[in-house]
Amino acid sequence: MSSISLDQFQLVYNAFSFTIAAMGAATLFFWLGRSQVSDYYKTALTITGLVTAIALYHYIRIFDSWSAAYTITGLKIEPSGIAFNDAYRYVDWILTVPLLLVELILVMRLSRAETWSKSTRLGLLAVAMIVLGYPGEISAVPSTKWLWWGLAMLPFIWIVYELFVGLGKSIASQPTEVRGLINAARWLTVISWSFYPVVFVFPMLGFSGGAAATAVQVGYTVADVVAKVVFGFVIYLIAVRRSALEEAASPDKTGRMAPA
Amino acid sequence: MSSISLDQFQLVYNAFSFTIAAMGAATLFFWLGRSQVSDYYKTALTITGLVTAIALYHYIRIFDSWSAAYTITGLKIEPSGIAFNDAYRYVDWILTVPLLLVELILVMRLSRAETWSKSTRLGLLAVAMIVLGYPGEISAVPSTKWLWWGLAMLPFIWIVYELFVGLGKSIASQPTEVRGLINAARWLTVISWSFYPVVFVFPMLGFSGGAAATAVQVGYTVADVVAKVVFGFVIYLIAVRRSALEEAASPDKTGRMAPA
């Protein structure tokens, strides 16, 4: 482990603890909200809460791994010899990033065939993006880091293309009342996901030692909160608004507010 | 314990942590999905979630046992002297493998008598398969390993026969809309279950030391995720689709979207 100052250690430590609280609270909010949307949108809220629940699990592991990686005696801090396990983040992303895209597709209420094909394509691109990033993350060689960073950017750009061009027609057919929110969810995805490749290059841009380690951990943590909790809240708003619209249009059928 | 490299240790460690997250997420997904299917199919989703919940428990134990089996000092890794407990897997399978077959039977909605007789027969065959495999798993003598492997293959082949011949007539009478999914579930069972006898023979095929230990652990883990999470998701899709079909056919009876 790179040597960091006690202040840096504590900033990261508190950021991790903040995220445990935020992910846990978000999970409960999304799942409790299931009873307030119509049947069709329950699955979207189930998955929105699964994403934050999976992140909750990983942030507990990350917090414990961070705590174990340093020994603090009074005001003195030194690496304990136990390596901080950065792989938890990648394991988390492999599970959660495809699910984040599925949330967005589900809340658009496309046909079954479209839902299936778009979820599969976006999900596989997301997995490819994460898998290609990992060899760069664990390498210490700048050229290797840049190579895998560049390779992971290809599926990322493809995902952005799918969100803005591939989904364009489907978005034009959404009810006007939620089009703005769906657009916001799309932009939030692109902006929050852009944090990751930027944070990834911190160590390659001359940041080094404790400052770089701190910037990477805090940077990924902020990105995770925006991409999962804030994004999930927009998905929740779309689900609630569409349920109300559909109930008003046809109280006995699609939009019935199902009990519990 | 065979000596393994730090990279091998960490690959297995992260695979176990991934599986804890996947099993936990799958359990919640299946149980939250109970409110979206008609009464008849709730039991199938309850059991689907039980399978992943039991696996969640065992993977937490397996993860802890794996962590305790090695001592890591900096970049050096050595066996701690505490044996890794492989029996957790067999305990898990004795509980979960019969339940996996029951899930499939339940979602086919056969008569009560058929549901009972097929569940009992397949469940007992599954228990026989696991019990016969265990003496081979713990033996270090190749001829003993092959003997029990061969004996465990007999109920396995019988199960495959039951799935493809015994259930043939029942599958022909399923609604066309779900026949493809039921067929997929059957094939997924056979293919994912075939991983186990293959992984079992890794050490008998000349794989040895750290590579064999790593291949066995990662192999079983991948097989468990496919056989429990991916298979469970197919069961979930069948339950949701059949509920919708039955609700459309008879809105006041079988298919009523029951609360919670």
Side-chain angles (χ1 to χ4, degrees):
Chain A
M1 290 303 291
S2 50
S3 60
I4 61 171
S5 73
L6 189 56
D7 284 349
Q8 287 167 337
F9 171 84
Q10 277 169 342
L11 176 64
V12 173
Y13 182 96
N14 290 319
F16 289 164
S17 182
F18 166 88
T19 309
I20 289 172
M23 294 294 176
T27 302
L28 293 165
F29 181 81
F30 298 139
W31 285 345
L32 290 169
R34 286 178 78 256
S35 69
Q36 289 155 273
V37 300
S38 60
D39 273 349
Y40 184 86
Y41 300 102
K42 285 193 201 311
T43 311
L45 290 192
T46 298
I47 293 180
T48 306
L50 277 187
V51 166
T52 48
I54 293 168
L56 169 64
Y57 165 74
H58 284 113
Y59 269 92
I60 291 172
R61 291 271 187 217
I62 287 170
F63 178 89
D64 289 346
S65 179
W66 183 256
S67 305
Y70 295 94
T71 310
I72 299 163
T73 327
L75 295 174
K76 213 169 125 261
I77 180 167
E78 50 189 23
S80 66
I82 302 166
F84 174 64
N85 184 13
D86 241 338
Y88 286 131
R89 292 195 179 284
Y90 281 80
V91 173
D92 178 81
W93 295 335
I94 279 198
L95 288 163
T96 56
V97 174
L99 292 177
L100 284 167
L101 294 166
V102 171
E103 283 174 35
L104 180 60
I105 299 294
L106 278 177
V107 96
M108 288 177 69
R109 195 164 195 168
L110 307 174
S111 70
R112 187 189 291 170
E114 262 189 310
T115 299
W116 193 259
S117 71
K118 289 197 192 300
S119 297
T120 312
R121 188 177 325 148
L122 286 168
L124 289 176
L125 285 169
V127 169
M129 176 176 77
I130 308 301
V131 168
L132 290 170
Y134 188 62
E137 180 80 43
I138 56 168
S139 169
V141 183
S143 62
T144 309
K145 287 181 98 74
W146 282 113
L147 170 71
W148 293 105
W149 179 87
L151 289 173
M153 284 304 280
L154 298 177
F156 177 59
I157 290 164
W158 193 346
I159 289 170
V160 174
Y161 172 84
E162 287 287 335
L163 289 179
F164 282 85
V165 182
L167 284 181
K169 218 191 300 175
S170 313
I171 285 175
S173 66
Q174 296 289 307
T176 42
E177 292 87 342
V178 294
R179 217 178 285 162
L181 282 172
I182 290 180
N183 210 26
R186 220 160 44 148
W187 275 103
L188 209 51
T189 305
V190 176
I191 294 167
S192 64
W193 290 22
S194 298
F195 284 17
Y196 297 93
V198 171
V199 172
F200 188 100
V201 299
F202 281 173
M204 292 122 90
L205 294 176
F207 276 124
S208 70
T214 305
V216 167
Q217 295 309 326
V218 174
Y220 280 150
T221 301
V222 171
D224 278 345
V225 171
V226 175
K228 295 176 165 100
V229 178
V230 180
F231 176 81
F233 184 65
V234 174
I235 295 295
Y236 165 84
L237 288 177
I238 296 170
V240 168
R241 198 163 301 176
R242 289 197 72 150
S243 296
L245 282 171
E246 289 164 21
E247 185 184 29
S250 151
D252 298 329
K253 284 195 213 145
T254 45
R256 186 172 60 83
M257 300 299 275
Chain B
M1 290 303 293
S2 50
S3 60
I4 62 170
S5 73
L6 188 56
D7 284 349
Q8 288 168 339
F9 172 83
Q10 277 170 340
L11 177 63
V12 174
Y13 182 96
N14 290 318
F16 289 164
S17 181
F18 167 88
T19 310
I20 290 172
M23 294 295 177
T27 302
L28 293 163
F29 180 81
F30 299 138
W31 286 345
L32 288 168
R34 287 177 78 258
S35 69
Q36 288 155 273
V37 301
S38 60
D39 275 351
Y40 184 84
Y41 298 103
K42 285 195 201 310
T43 313
L45 291 192
T46 299
I47 293 180
T48 306
L50 278 186
V51 166
T52 48
I54 294 168
L56 167 66
Y57 164 74
H58 285 113
Y59 269 93
I60 292 171
R61 291 274 186 217
I62 288 171
F63 179 89
D64 288 345
S65 177
W66 182 256
S67 305
Y70 295 94
T71 309
I72 298 163
T73 327
L75 295 174
K76 214 168 125 261
I77 179 166
E78 50 190 21
S80 66
I82 303 166
F84 173 63
N85 183 12
D86 242 339
Y88 287 131
R89 292 195 179 285
Y90 281 81
V91 174
D92 179 84
W93 295 336
I94 280 199
L95 288 162
T96 57
V97 175
L99 292 177
L100 284 167
L101 293 166
V102 171
E103 283 173 35
L104 181 59
I105 299 295
L106 279 177
V107 95
M108 288 178 68
R109 196 164 194 167
L110 307 174
S111 70
R112 187 185 294 171
E114 262 189 308
T115 299
W116 192 260
S117 71
K118 289 198 192 298
S119 297
T120 311
R121 188 178 325 149
L122 286 168
L124 289 175
L125 284 169
V127 169
M129 175 176 78
I130 309 300
V131 168
L132 290 170
Y134 187 63
E137 180 80 43
I138 56 168
S139 168
V141 182
S143 61
T144 308
K145 286 181 97 72
W146 281 114
L147 170 70
W148 292 105
W149 179 86
L151 289 173
M153 285 303 281
L154 298 177
F156 177 58
I157 290 163
W158 193 346
I159 290 170
V160 174
Y161 172 85
E162 287 287 335
L163 289 179
F164 281 85
V165 183
L167 284 180
K169 217 190 304 174
S170 314
I171 284 174
S173 67
Q174 296 289 307
T176 43
E177 292 88 342
V178 295
R179 216 177 286 162
L181 283 171
I182 289 180
N183 210 27
R186 218 159 48 147
W187 275 105
L188 208 52
T189 304
V190 175
I191 294 167
S192 64
W193 289 22
S194 297
F195 285 15
Y196 297 93
V198 171
V199 172
F200 188 99
V201 299
F202 281 174
M204 292 122 88
L205 295 176
F207 275 123
S208 70
T214 306
V216 167
Q217 295 309 325
V218 174
Y220 280 150
T221 301
V222 170
D224 277 345
V225 171
V226 175
K228 295 176 164 100
V229 178
V230 179
F231 176 82
F233 183 65
V234 175
I235 296 295
Y236 164 84
L237 288 177
I238 297 171
V240 168
R241 201 164 296 181
R242 290 196 73 148
S243 296
L245 282 171
E246 289 164 20
E247 185 185 27
S250 150
D252 297 332
K253 282 194 214 144
T254 46
R256 185 175 59 85
M257 299 301 274

